[in-house]
Amino acid sequence: MKNNKFFALTLFISSFFVLSSCSSDDDNEETTIPPNPSSFTITSKDITNTDFTIDWTAATIAGNEGVEYDIYLDDTLVASDLEVLTYTFSNLNDETTYDAKVIAKSIEFGTTSTQVIDVTTSALPIPSGFNLTSKDITITDFTIDWTAATIEGTDGVVYDVYLDDALVASDLEVVTYTFSNLNAETTYDAKVIAKSNAFETTSTQIIDVTTLAMPIPSAFDITSKDITITDFTIDWTAATIEGTDGVVYDVYLDGALVASDLEVVTYTFSNLNAETTYEAKVIAKSNAFETTSTQLIEVTTQAAPAPNDFTLTLESNGTNSANISWSSLTIDGPGGVLADIYINNNEEATGITSSGYVFTGLTPNTAYTVKITARSTAYGTTLDKEITFTTASLPTTFEVTSATLYPRTTGTFASAPSMIIRFTDRDLLDDIILNGTTYTSYFFAGSDGITISISDAEYDALSNATTKEGTANFTENEQSSSKTFTYTVN
């Protein structure tokens, strides 16, 4: 396009001289137009990121003086009056398009001819791609290797290494790197940047590497033995683990730590409750990695023995006291047996070591139930035995001295059938029972007797009874009692 513009300008100037010559009235002779250098061809070569060279063919012109050349870069004159047909531009920017212009100048006539070419410098060299691999992966370390990156020139490549975007090594000339002190079972982002020493361009490769999980102590077997009422022992097989630091053990009973950092594979639990299920737990711990493996076992202690059977005997029984004895209290096992004593469900005494007990302050003519609880001092187990007795009645002065059944009478002194009963102490009397009928209403008969009125039917039943008996209920010394008596028929 620039060549076309220049050509148009040359044509315009030439036309102007021709027209001026033709229109001159003073000079009819034809004026000669100075010739321009001929058109020429321009090419580029040897293009780098900072340099390129242009060559052009020689422009020709009539006359003897020839042609010389001016060189422009982006309209800036960089060389003039050249007689050669080549020029090299240096110290340029990479990846930049430049406008290179050559003006051929007639030395004799001062006319010109121009050619322009656009040239783009090349990009900076980039380190070649390379392969990144991992190896020697452990719990806390891994190594990465990579193939060497290459680049144009002789200055070569160095490497920066990142772990999770944090720079950990720079300007390495080797093609390997080991990461240390990492977390177990963690994925890391390892990045290597190849850097050109000459051009500062880079090429990057990334690899994800996951460290190994920490070793866990192996599973092991746990068993129980020597189970008693208060103790048992557990044994377990040894747990194993990678490395040389080995394993120790913590022991728990029902979730409570009872022993730690054991190096043996046995433990005995003591002072336990009888007939109780316990959960024994063993945790194998890695000394190096603090990882663990756990085993559980349930163990039930034996039942505690109860006191042996024994017998109770009522040795004596009075109106307000009683003497109870029992056979020897024994148990199959350690410790002794004590007696706890209850009367009518009330605690009387505990922890008795003797084989008998005397109860006092009892009520005459009263039923009592005595319970003896044999209790093991070692296990707290018990065995109960009971005996029932009635205290003796107090001596009484109440007696029925006579009882006579009388028929109905007629005439002047007519009366209903009746029974007259006499007592040693009439004031103690509560009621009379005759042939199943209780009589509480009666008349006094003299100072020591009573008269009970009955019907004719009752008289007939009483007079015809095979056994002519009655019952007198009375209270003496605040104690209720009764006396059976016989009656006669008048």
Side-chain angles (χ1 to χ4, degrees), residues 14-83:
S14 299
S15 300
F16 174 79
F17 284 113
V18 171
L19 291 174
S20 298
S21 173
C22 292
S23 62
S24 174
D25 292 332
D26 297 330
D27 189 358
N28 292 325
E29 294 183 2
E30 186 175 347
T31 302
T32 300
I33 298 172
N36 292 318
S38 66
S39 179
F40 56 95
T41 301
I42 185 170
T43 58
S44 61
K45 68 179 183 180
D46 300 333
I47 301 170
T48 70
N49 58 297
T50 58
D51 305 80
F52 68 85
T53 297
I54 57 173
D55 294 339
W56 58 92
T57 57
T60 59
I61 193 169
N64 300 317
E65 298 294 333
V67 175
E68 56 188 8
Y69 304 92
D70 291 344
I71 310 298
Y72 289 80
L73 186 66
D74 286 346
D75 293 325
T76 298
L77 180 65
V78 295
S80 59
D81 302 333
L82 296 181
E83 295 182 354

Side-chain angles (χ1 to χ4, degrees), residues 369-431:
T369 298
V370 170
K371 179 175 72 175
I372 305 299
T373 298
R375 173 170 50 87
S376 165
T377 58
Y379 310 114
T381 52
T382 60
L383 178 65
D384 295 335
K385 287 288 185 176
E386 291 185 351
I387 189 171
T388 299
F389 62 90
T390 300
T391 52
S393 299
L394 290 171
T396 180
T397 60
F398 181 87
E399 295 291 344
V400 177
T401 58
S402 67
T404 304
L405 179 65
Y406 292 91
R408 177 181 292 278
T409 61
T410 60
T412 303
F413 300 101
S415 64
S418 63
M419 180 177 285
I420 297 175
I421 308 170
R422 298 191 181 280
F423 311 93
T424 56
D425 190 345
R426 184 182 60 189
D427 293 338
L428 301 179
L429 180 66
D430 292 326
D431 55 57

Side-chain angles (χ1 to χ4, degrees), residues 121-145:
T121 52
S122 61
L124 290 174
I126 297 173
S128 66
F130 54 96
N131 295 322
L132 181 59
T133 57
S134 60
K135 68 179 184 181
D136 301 334
I137 301 170
T138 69
I139 302 166
T140 57
D141 305 80
F142 67 86
T143 296
I144 54 172
D145 293 338

